[in-house]
Amino acid sequence: MDKEDNTELNVIKNLSRIKHKIVILSGKGGVGKSTISANLAIGLSKKGYNVGLLDSDIHGPSIPKILGIEENKPDVTKTGMNPVIVNPKLKVMSMAFLLPETDTPIIWRGPMKMGVIKQFLGEVNWGDLDYLLIDLPPGTGDEPLSIAQLIPDIAGAIIVTTPQDVALVSVRKSVNFVKKMNIPVVGIVENMSGFTCPHCNKSVDIFKTGGGLKVSKDFLIPFLGKIPLDPQIVESGDSGETFIIENETTDSAKAFKDIIKNIEKHVKKKEVKYTK
Amino acid sequence: MDKEDNTELNVIKNLSRIKHKIVILSGKGGVGKSTISANLAIGLSKKGYNVGLLDSDIHGPSIPKILGIEENKPDVTKTGMNPVIVNPKLKVMSMAFLLPETDTPIIWRGPMKMGVIKQFLGEVNWGDLDYLLIDLPPGTGDEPLSIAQLIPDIAGAIIVTTPQDVALVSVRKSVNFVKKMNIPVVGIVENMSGFTCPHCNKSVDIFKTGGGLKVSKDFLIPFLGKIPLDPQIVESGDSGETFIIENETTDSAKAFKDIIKNIEKHVKKKEVKYTK
């Protein structure tokens, strides 16, 4: 019991040096949550903020692959683990760094997983950060719940969805999940929204478009932007080059920048509210 | 303890009337596992088999939406719950039927979830079936693990993936997961594999193509087929019309039929082995 209390205290103490803690979640997997988290983290760091990115997906940690830092290992020091440095402004921690080989499945029960997550929050030397982005596991189950409960004063939640109806059923669950947890919502991002054929330049709505906007209106929460389906994003993710840096002039990159502006606005509003 | 033993016994007894129990899994969410499960179930039932489909995703149950039976409710009888009838040869059970409203997130801890899954397996009147397809929750975590452990003599596992590298990291985990559980592998299905622009008929590899085949070669397991990215599949899933029936002549429908033939072959081989 005492040990447990110390762990929670460590988390609070360690995270108290971080100004804005933002969770990124989705009602279902495969909507591009990790790709979006990685690009937002890079984007915020390029704006001069000190950023941390925590990949809290225990079973499918893909952030290191997306950022091209899979071969890196965090240093273990006497005061805790040092996250992997992506650039002078961006630090990353992920379960993927701790696995012996990438093919190994993590068949762990709930309590074991929570132990690792607590370490990621309480014993990683994040230092002083402007932003910590936490890429939550998909869904509304044990893991996102437990992680959200562990983090004190989350500044906001970004909910990622794809536009088709089947996905929107899940995103509505996510919105209610976040509300139940009393986490303020930054807004909804609609990913894989529309597609322009690179051969004929005509548009095809493979996964439809506009569903995320509809949900944001239904729930009266902000809509942060649409990111089109783009083979370049897939290629960037696979090759470890983040999309936003490599393709600054594309529609997708512009969409990411707008989302970043919305995050800045959101935390600013929150700061004003707290100092009033 | 006695109660627990009875529950497990119920599961064994109830499932003993089912010839072939097939689990469908994926290393990550959003790869189309539920869409594929629904179409395979429809396809097998159209071939004259008695089929059951269990949507064991507690957090994002999407099978009823895909099959257009969201408004249905299973009857509760003295002998257990009756699954929802899709056609005379196909019965479905899903968490979605039991939720008060579709927006409600299920914020349950592990043991509560397992209680529901045990009911789905032990107390649903599946009757005599040729096939029970079990759509597992994505990943290699508590839920797929616990469910797989509950089901006696699983005939085989179908692993669904999308072709891009980031997804393939997860599918490799799934293959190892299945091996660790000693479940025979039916094979790998590559979903969202390639895309043909409906305007200019040229192909675009949005999520690339061929990754699933590569993994199947690496692990020496069968490759069941590629299903192209197709806006019609998305639309069918959203409107509750299953793709395979509605579009019998398309490449995607043909791919589904080949996969079904492979499943039949797999269980036949198994039957031969057992009778030897």
Side-chain angles (χ1 to χ4, degrees):
Chain A
M1 183 67 189
D2 278 350
K3 197 167 174 288
E4 179 70 9
D5 282 350
N6 272 343
T7 317
E8 312 260 330
L9 211 67
N10 281 348
V11 171
I12 294 169
K13 215 173 132 189
N14 200 36
L15 297 188
S16 69
R17 296 169 64 187
I18 298 166
K19 272 190 206 152
H20 312 298
K21 293 169 274 284
I22 307 270
V23 292
I24 295 131
L25 71 161
S26 66
K28 66 195 288 288
V31 299
K33 187 171 48 57
S34 296
T35 302
I36 286 174
S37 301
N39 277 291
L40 293 179
I42 291 271
L44 283 164
S45 75
K46 293 271 159 187
K47 278 201 148 181
Y49 295 112
N50 286 310
V51 182
L53 174 57
L54 173 58
D55 179 5
S56 75
D57 193 339
I58 300 290
H59 302 291
S62 54
I63 293 275
K65 169 89 189 156
I66 292 166
L67 290 173
I69 50 170
E70 299 161 277
E71 304 300 323
N72 297 47
K73 295 275 164 226
D75 292 328
V76 180
T77 70
K78 274 184 189 165
T79 60
M81 247 182 295
N82 289 333
V84 169
I85 307 290
V86 179
N87 69 42
K89 293 281 184 183
L90 177 58
K91 300 167 183 176
V92 174
M93 192 62 212
S94 167
M95 191 63 215
F97 297 138
L98 308 181
L99 297 179
E101 39 171 329
T102 48
D103 289 357
T104 311
I106 303 289
I107 313 181
W108 287 355
R109 298 295 186 174
M112 290 170 70
K113 290 189 274 193
M114 279 315 288
V116 177
I117 296 291
K118 279 178 188 164
Q119 275 195 305
F120 281 177
L121 294 169
E123 292 167 38
V124 164
N125 298 320
W126 292 110
D128 295 312
L129 295 179
D130 296 304
Y131 287 94
L132 178 64
L133 304 187
I134 301 133
D135 181 12
L136 290 183
T140 49
D142 286 19
E143 285 173 55
L145 174 69
S146 303
I147 299 167
Q149 283 176 336
L150 268 179
I151 306 165
D153 66 291
I154 297 175
I158 295 172
I159 300 167
V160 182
T161 187
T162 46
Q164 75 274 34
D165 296 353
V166 168
L168 295 176
V169 175
S170 312
V171 82
R172 300 175 83 93
K173 289 200 177 89
S174 284
V175 175
N176 281 323
F177 176 83
V178 167
K179 282 188 175 171
K180 277 194 185 166
M181 305 284 302
N182 285 319
I183 302 170
V185 181
V186 185
I188 290 180
V189 175
E190 184 175 305
N191 194 26
M192 306 189 196
S193 176
F195 171 74
T196 304
C197 174
H199 302 298
C200 67
N201 272 319
K202 284 189 182 158
S203 70
V204 191
D205 284 340
I206 298 182
F207 292 113
K208 302 187 176 176
T209 179
L213 183 63
K214 194 181 168 298
V215 173
S216 76
K217 281 181 182 163
D218 288 352
F219 284 93
L220 302 171
I221 54 179
F223 183 68
L224 299 177
K226 285 180 191 186
I227 296 169
L229 195 60
D230 188 334
Q232 281 190 72
I233 298 186
V234 178
E235 184 49 50
S236 314
D238 276 358
S239 64
E241 307 283 356
T242 41
F243 183 75
I244 205 170
I245 334 170
E246 299 303 311
N247 302 279
E248 284 202 344
T249 58
T250 63
D251 285 352
S252 312
K254 279 179 207 151
F256 276 120
K257 282 181 187 167
D258 284 345
I259 296 168
I260 288 170
K261 275 185 206 152
N262 280 318
I263 296 173
E264 290 174 296
K265 252 190 252 170
H266 174 89
V267 299
K268 212 169 180 181
K269 236 192 291 174
K270 239 190 131 226
E271 281 172 342
V272 173
K273 211 166 81 186
Y274 284 142
T275 50
K276 257 183 194 168
Chain B
M1 184 63 190
D2 278 352
K3 200 169 174 287
E4 178 70 12
D5 283 351
N6 272 344
T7 317
E8 313 260 330
L9 211 67
N10 282 348
V11 171
I12 294 169
K13 214 173 134 190
N14 200 36
L15 297 187
S16 69
R17 297 172 63 187
I18 298 166
K19 273 190 206 152
H20 312 297
K21 295 167 274 284
I22 306 270
V23 292
I24 295 130
L25 71 161
S26 65
K28 65 196 289 289
V31 299
K33 187 172 48 58
S34 297
T35 302
I36 285 173
S37 301
N39 277 292
L40 292 179
I42 290 272
L44 282 164
S45 74
K46 292 273 160 186
K47 278 202 148 181
Y49 296 112
N50 286 310
V51 182
L53 174 57
L54 172 57
D55 180 5
S56 75
D57 193 340
I58 300 291
H59 302 292
S62 54
I63 293 274
K65 169 89 188 154
I66 292 166
L67 290 173
I69 50 169
E70 300 161 278
E71 304 301 324
N72 295 48
K73 295 276 166 226
D75 291 329
V76 180
T77 70
K78 273 181 191 167
T79 60
M81 249 182 293
N82 288 333
V84 169
I85 308 290
V86 179
N87 68 42
K89 294 281 184 184
L90 178 58
K91 300 167 184 174
V92 174
M93 192 62 214
S94 167
M95 193 62 215
F97 297 137
L98 308 181
L99 299 177
E101 40 171 328
T102 48
D103 290 357
T104 312
I106 303 290
I107 313 181
W108 286 355
R109 297 297 187 174
M112 289 170 73
K113 289 190 274 191
M114 278 314 289
V116 178
I117 294 291
K118 278 178 189 163
Q119 276 195 302
F120 281 177
L121 294 169
E123 293 167 36
V124 165
N125 299 320
W126 292 109
D128 297 310
L129 294 179
D130 296 304
Y131 288 94
L132 178 64
L133 304 186
I134 302 132
D135 181 13
L136 291 183
T140 48
D142 287 17
E143 285 172 56
L145 174 68
S146 304
I147 299 167
Q149 283 175 337
L150 267 179
I151 305 166
D153 67 291
I154 297 176
I158 295 172
I159 301 167
V160 181
T161 186
T162 47
Q164 74 273 35
D165 297 353
V166 168
L168 294 177
V169 175
S170 311
V171 82
R172 300 174 83 93
K173 288 200 178 86
S174 284
V175 175
N176 282 323
F177 177 82
V178 168
K179 282 188 174 172
K180 276 195 186 165
M181 303 285 303
N182 285 319
I183 302 171
V185 181
V186 185
I188 291 181
V189 175
E190 184 176 305
N191 194 27
M192 306 189 196
S193 175
F195 172 72
T196 304
C197 174
H199 301 298
C200 66
N201 272 320
K202 284 189 183 158
S203 70
V204 191
D205 284 339
I206 298 181
F207 291 113
K208 302 186 176 177
T209 179
L213 183 63
K214 194 181 169 300
V215 173
S216 77
K217 281 182 182 161
D218 289 353
F219 283 93
L220 302 170
I221 54 179
F223 183 67
L224 299 178
K226 287 180 189 186
I227 297 168
L229 195 59
D230 187 332
Q232 282 190 71
I233 298 186
V234 177
E235 183 50 47
S236 312
D238 277 359
S239 64
E241 306 285 355
T242 41
F243 183 75
I244 205 170
I245 335 170
E246 299 303 310
N247 302 279
E248 285 203 343
T249 57
T250 62
D251 286 350
S252 313
K254 279 179 208 148
F256 276 120
K257 282 181 188 166
D258 284 345
I259 296 167
I260 288 171
K261 275 185 206 150
N262 280 317
I263 296 172
E264 290 175 296
K265 251 189 253 167
H266 174 88
V267 299
K268 212 167 178 182
K269 234 190 294 176
K270 239 191 130 224
E271 280 172 343
V272 173
K273 210 166 83 187
Y274 283 142
T275 50
K276 258 182 193 167

